[in-house]
Amino acid sequence: MAVVVSSSGNAPAFKAKMTVYVFVCVVIAAFGGLIFGYDIGISGGVTAMDDFLKKFFPSVWEKKQHVHENNYCKYDNQFLQLFTSSLYLAALVASFLASAVCSKLGRKPTMQFASIFFLIGVGLTAGAVNIVMLIIGRILLGFGVGFGNQAVPLFLSEIAPAQLRGGLNIVFQLMVTIGIFIANLVNYFTATVHPNGWRIALGGAAIPAVILLFGSLIICETPTSLIERNKNEEGKEALRKIRGVDDINEEYESIVNACEIASQVKDPYRKLLKPASRPPFIIGMLLQLFQQFTGINAIMFYAPVLFQTVGFGSDAALLSAVITGVINVLSTFVGIYLVDRTGRRFLLLQSSVHMLICQLIIGIILAKDLGTTGTLGKPQALVVVIFVCVYVMGFAWSWGPLGWLIPSETFPLETRSAGFAVAVSCNMFFTFVIAQAFLSMLCGMRSGIFFFFSAWIIVMGLFAMFFIPETKGVPIDEMRERVWKPHWFWKRYMLAEDDHQDVEKRT
Ligand code: BGC
């Protein structure tokens, strides 16, 4: 493949081709995303299966028999929600550990650890004979997610040529969406397999975990990570291999430079609290809050439950979830195509308006037509499904992928792994909050939950408009000079840092 990537505009011309090897590395690493997506998608289906409920959550199953009691509250059970959300809590803790492994041992071993955690977790959940085994399995899967989500986006951003970084990084999100979609399909078919369909569904995650484990043997370590750990010659070799050109000196020098600065920072977490780290730090954390408070996971985890709640039969509910899965995958390609062309900001702003309109329409229909115990009429139910799909589309090319891309590309090397770990753990925390609270919120707020998410979408749209700068095409180690220093708001922290350094030099 000989797509020569030349940097344009104000970016320095680091020479690079889009090599086959980089493509292979991207695909293999992104299997980490596929497992994450599979875990997201599988929970909703499994928790809707009677065999599973009868075995582990008999009281929920009892309640489900009286479906007509209340539309919005039938599955509201903290224990059931704990099954879904325990994974995210574990991932939250694991991402800090993963960050240390990522810096000390490299991105590649961190991915290998992830696949091992996944494999043990799959064994325990699919083979569970009691709830303890099930929850421990979920926690190990969570460790896999914490390690995978820490290493993969960083890996992708570091091996990609600057001009293609956005698109290549979004391959991670693409695999997340493929994972969710496959899980939806698996849910659909295993729901009819009695009594062990749920074991097959949970066991399916072993396949991508094995691919990640063996695949990771052939991918390279990132040049940045090698040079950071003083393996300069290996780093140079790796850079030459992934860029597919001989003349890599300029980029090599830029990485060495970044590593020198990074080596002076002994405690990256302390450095994160310094003013100069504030822009990527604040944006990285808020992006996670916003990504989750778009309400996407209310749909992803609980799509079958949600569709059942608004009056679809259980089969139709799973099928609708499969349809949203396909839309999610296809729309991510739009993100891959546009992110390095229109840039990040355009996607964030466009989708805020787009998602807001969808949430409002869904909320209004449910408020008007779905009483507490009634069901939606066919036409209204169809409109709800259509707007859920249109909403998923908007998320899939914006807040979904950019929630991972922007924090992986905006921290300087000295705080990259630590800063990204904080972002990953924030993501897991807010995912946990939604997973744990959504069914109760649905029960308490009813259709109001859609207006709640709408309000958040307005806030995030405004935040993106004023505070998220464009990072398209800017080399990863040049953000400070090219992005933060010229920004109307964030520059104050950069100037404060410059003053501080001047004073330090003088004294
Ligand atoms: C989010 C997940 C979400 C998925 C949906 C990801 O970017 O982090 O929480 O379920 O997108 O496609």
Side-chain angles (χ1 to χ4, degrees):
M1 222 186 295
V3 184
V4 177
V5 183
S6 67
S7 303
S8 58
N10 54 7
F14 295 151
K15 294 198 186 72
K17 285 182 195 163
M18 175 61 210
T19 57
V20 175
Y21 185 61
V22 164
F23 182 75
V24 171
C25 288
V26 167
V27 173
I28 290 175
F31 266 87
L34 194 141
I35 307 173
F36 175 43
Y38 190 86
D39 284 327
I40 292 171
I42 212 74
S43 321
V46 166
T47 51
M49 290 181 197
D50 284 346
D51 294 322
F52 178 81
L53 289 179
K54 263 191 258 175
K55 189 165 178 65
F56 298 107
F57 303 95
S59 64
V60 182
W61 181 75
E62 280 290 321
K63 204 166 163 193
K64 196 181 158 191
Q65 305 313 301
H66 312 288
V67 165
H68 292 298
E69 270 177 17
N70 185 335
N71 259 330
Y72 291 101
C73 300
K74 61 182 168 184
Y75 294 150
D76 175 21
N77 175 293
Q78 291 294 322
F79 268 122
L80 185 58
Q81 284 161 248
L82 194 61
F83 166 75
T84 302
S85 58
S86 52
L87 188 151
Y88 302 96
L89 218 45
L92 185 166
V93 177
S95 61
F96 289 103
L97 201 60
S99 146
V101 177
C102 226
S103 304
K104 298 269 171 326
L105 304 180
R107 302 359 178 180
K108 180 172 158 167
T110 314
M111 288 186 238
Q112 286 163 338
F113 276 119
S115 54
I116 292 168
F117 285 129
F118 279 131
L119 280 173
I120 308 176
V122 169
L124 285 175
T125 49
V129 290
N130 53 40
I131 183 112
V132 175
M133 210 168 150
L134 190 71
I135 299 287
I136 294 179
R138 283 293 281 182
I139 291 174
L140 280 166
L141 287 177
F143 265 69
V145 168
F147 273 65
N149 286 19
Q150 169 73 19
V152 175
L154 282 186
F155 175 86
L156 296 177
S157 282
E158 286 179 348
I159 64 164
Q163 300 306 104
L164 299 175
R165 189 178 59 241
L168 290 183
N169 184 287
I170 296 183
V171 175
F172 172 74
Q173 173 74 11
L174 178 70
M175 295 295 254
V176 173
T177 61
I178 293 177
I180 296 176
F181 172 60
I182 294 176
N184 286 341
L185 276 185
V186 170
N187 281 335
Y188 187 61
F189 290 110
T190 51
T192 54
V193 180
H194 301 288
N196 285 325
W198 63 271
R199 290 192 195 274
I200 304 175
L202 293 175
I207 300 171
V210 168
I211 296 178
L212 181 64
L213 182 61
F214 289 106
S216 65
L217 299 176
I218 60 167
I219 65 180
C220 64
E221 183 52 88
T222 71
T224 310
S225 171
L226 288 166
I227 297 168
E228 193 184 11
R229 287 174 294 126
N230 298 320
K231 300 183 176 178
N232 288 34
E233 275 317 303
E234 275 179 60
K236 202 169 194 176
E237 236 354 270
L239 189 61
R240 194 166 284 130
K241 189 165 176 189
I242 60 175
R243 293 292 175 255
V245 292
D246 280 333
D247 183 10
I248 38 100
N249 282 339
E250 225 178 317
E251 185 170 4
Y252 174 73
E253 287 307 325
S254 140
I255 299 176
V256 170
N257 224 340
C259 290
E260 259 161 31
I261 299 173
S263 69
Q264 287 156 19
V265 174
K266 294 286 166 268
D267 182 351
Y269 288 99
R270 178 178 289 214
K271 176 84 183 171
L272 270 183
L273 299 175
K274 292 270 156 66
S277 302
R278 227 150 273 172
F281 191 48
I282 293 177
I283 291 177
M285 288 194 296
L286 283 180
L287 269 174
Q288 314 310 319
L289 167 75
F290 293 151
Q291 187 203 59
Q292 291 305 314
F293 278 74
T294 54
I296 186 68
N297 279 328
I299 292 176
M300 291 300 146
F301 300 140
Y302 299 114
V305 178
L306 189 69
F307 284 122
Q308 240 168 312
T309 305
V310 300
F312 286 80
S314 119
D315 244 20
L318 274 178
L319 190 61
S320 317
V322 170
I323 295 170
T324 53
V326 178
I327 306 251
N328 196 14
V329 174
L330 295 182
S331 311
T332 307
F333 282 102
V334 178
I336 293 180
Y337 182 77
L338 289 180
V339 70
D340 293 316
R341 292 183 168 80
T342 62
R344 285 66 165 151
R345 276 173 59 79
F346 170 80
L347 293 173
L348 291 174
L349 295 175
Q350 181 282 334
S351 65
S352 298
V353 177
H354 172 145
M355 290 191 297
L356 176 64
I357 295 172
C358 297
Q359 291 274 15
L360 288 176
I361 293 178
I362 298 170
I364 290 169
I365 294 182
L366 294 187
K368 234 168 82 345
D369 295 329
L370 182 68
T372 310
T373 52
T375 52
L376 272 190
K378 266 246 157 65
Q380 288 92 330
L382 193 67
V383 176
V384 168
V385 171
I386 290 174
F387 276 95
V388 166
C389 290
V390 178
Y391 160 83
V392 168
M393 239 179 228
F395 176 87
W397 62 58
S398 60
W399 293 88
L402 296 176
W404 299 105
L405 168 63
I406 295 176
S408 77
E409 67 178 10
T410 47
F411 284 99
L413 182 60
E414 60 270 28
T415 49
R416 189 171 300 152
S417 179
F420 193 65
V422 174
V424 174
S425 62
C426 283
N427 186 288
M428 294 303 144
F429 175 72
F430 294 117
T431 310
F432 165 78
V433 169
I434 295 285
Q436 191 65 29
F438 176 70
L439 290 181
S440 314
M441 280 162 79
L442 183 67
C443 180
M445 297 167 80
R446 295 155 194 259
S447 56
I449 196 158
F450 292 94
F451 301 113
F452 169 81
F453 289 132
S454 303
W456 276 103
I457 293 176
I458 296 175
V459 174
M460 65 190 79
L462 290 174
F463 183 82
M465 181 133 79
F466 294 110
F467 297 105
I468 302 186
E470 187 53 68
T471 45
K472 167 185 107 174
V474 181
I476 192 164
D477 291 310
E478 308 273 330
M479 295 290 163
R480 181 181 161 84
E481 293 303 318
R482 291 166 199 265
V483 173
W484 306 122
K485 278 192 175 175
H487 188 267
W488 74 273
F489 180 78
W490 299 118
K491 71 178 172 202
R492 68 191 67 195
Y493 296 110
M494 299 300 139
L495 299 178
E497 181 82 348
D498 283 351
D499 289 350
H500 179 71
Q501 277 170 358
D502 278 353
V503 173
E504 270 186 353
K505 265 185 215 146
R506 267 184 266 128
T507 49

